[in-house]
Amino acid sequence: MTYRQKRWTAFALPMILLVAVLAILTGLIKAEPAFYRQVSPPDTYDTREKASHLVTRIQDFKYEVRTRPAWGIRIGAEELNCFFAEMMGPRGSFAGWLPSGFHSPRVAIVGDRLHLGVRYGQGWWSTVISLQLRIWLVAEEINVVAVEVCDLRVGQLGIARQSILDALSEAARASHIDVTWYRHGSNPVGLFRFFPDQPHPVSQILTLEVHDGNLTVAGRTRVEAVAPPPSKP
């Protein structure tokens, strides 16, 4: 091998290695989680009908929490995906809920895990950011929900979780929910306390389940302690 060939080889090998690494990283970032590919609802009348029905159910549920001694709701992942597609699309009523650049959220419930995904960017330059959560009601605590962040990825590439912890904390506090974080093994767990300004909460969550494709919430309210609400339209 001549001196010139040796110099070329010394230059080419690192460049080939760099290109290979970049190709692998690009593939990992561009890869979509399996659940995200599988749960996209079609743009049909049925999707729009389910989305509108869910909005009505949630409005009724909020009213029941204030006015009934016992209340509850069960929401399926399919309903949530219809809501995301219709109400949080480009022309949807709730499109502004997503930060700039984010769109097409989707959800799946597998066992006791809640999988959330949202696309960032457009076309070839887009990727899916996915989050895996485990949620449960804390025993012997009133209105405290634990949220374990099990995984956070850009495509198939795992990333640091601090950014999502800050976002969850900010969203909770904006809704007047106290949150504190601790570590369970390698995963962060947030304790979300509802109605923190009430020493003796009027409403109490008794059931919170994420299981078999559904999210179930149920509880009770001391109706006699609540001021009479305005008449329901």
Side-chain angles (χ1 to χ4, degrees):
M1 182 180 293
T2 66
Y3 175 73
R4 179 175 293 182
Q5 289 173 326
K6 289 180 179 179
R7 288 190 61 186
W8 170 251
T9 301
F11 171 77
L13 287 177
M15 291 301 296
I16 293 172
L17 180 60
L18 177 60
V19 170
V21 170
L22 290 175
I24 292 171
L25 289 176
T26 300
L28 289 173
I29 291 173
K30 295 290 293 178
E32 293 183 354
F35 83 87
Y36 191 86
R37 295 193 305 270
Q38 294 166 359
V39 300
S40 177
D43 183 14
T44 64
Y45 174 80
D46 188 53
T47 297
R48 293 186 286 274
E49 184 72 13
K50 288 179 179 178
S52 298
H53 182 58
L54 180 58
V55 172
T56 301
R57 288 181 61 209
I58 291 176
Q59 290 173 341
D60 290 344
F61 173 69
K62 291 167 64 178
Y63 182 81
E64 290 171 2
V65 170
R66 299 193 305 269
T67 61
R68 292 190 178 181
W71 39 264
I73 189 171
R74 174 174 291 177
I75 301 174
E78 181 185 6
E79 295 176 276
L80 287 171
N81 284 312
C82 290
F83 172 84
F84 291 155
E86 180 66 19
M87 301 297 181
M88 298 183 75
R91 297 179 298 276
S93 305
F94 300 92
W97 282 10
L98 294 173
S100 177
F102 290 86
H103 60 96
S104 306
R106 297 174 191 172
V107 63
I109 299 174
V110 182
D112 65 346
R113 302 295 174 96
L114 183 69
H115 298 257
L116 295 169
V118 62
R119 186 171 292 280
Y120 179 76
Q122 299 290 340
W124 194 89
W125 298 104
S126 69
T127 186
V128 174
I129 299 173
S130 60
L131 177 67
Q132 183 185 138
L133 303 174
R134 193 166 70 92
I135 304 172
W136 67 95
L137 194 63
V138 178
E140 300 181 2
E141 293 279 353
I142 297 176
N143 295 334
V144 178
V145 175
V147 178
E148 180 180 5
V149 181
C150 302
D151 199 17
L152 176 62
R153 294 180 180 271
V154 175
Q156 293 295 332
L157 189 65
I159 60 175
R161 302 173 190 177
Q162 188 57 49
S163 57
I164 195 65
L165 303 188
D166 293 341
L168 288 172
S169 297
E170 183 177 347
R173 288 167 183 145
S175 300
H176 308 289
I177 301 169
D178 281 353
V179 56
T180 55
W181 293 95
Y182 71 95
R183 286 216 163 257
H184 176 66
S186 60
N187 294 333
V189 178
L191 298 180
F192 292 74
R193 185 178 299 275
F194 292 77
F195 315 115
D197 57 337
Q198 300 179 17
H200 304 286
V202 172
S203 298
Q204 183 176 350
I205 304 169
L206 299 178
T207 301
L208 176 62
E209 294 181 351
V210 176
H211 188 62
D212 287 343
N214 294 290
L215 169 64
T216 303
V217 183
R220 65 188 178 194
T221 295
R222 291 186 290 112
V223 178
E224 69 279 3
V226 181
S231 300
K232 186 179 178 182

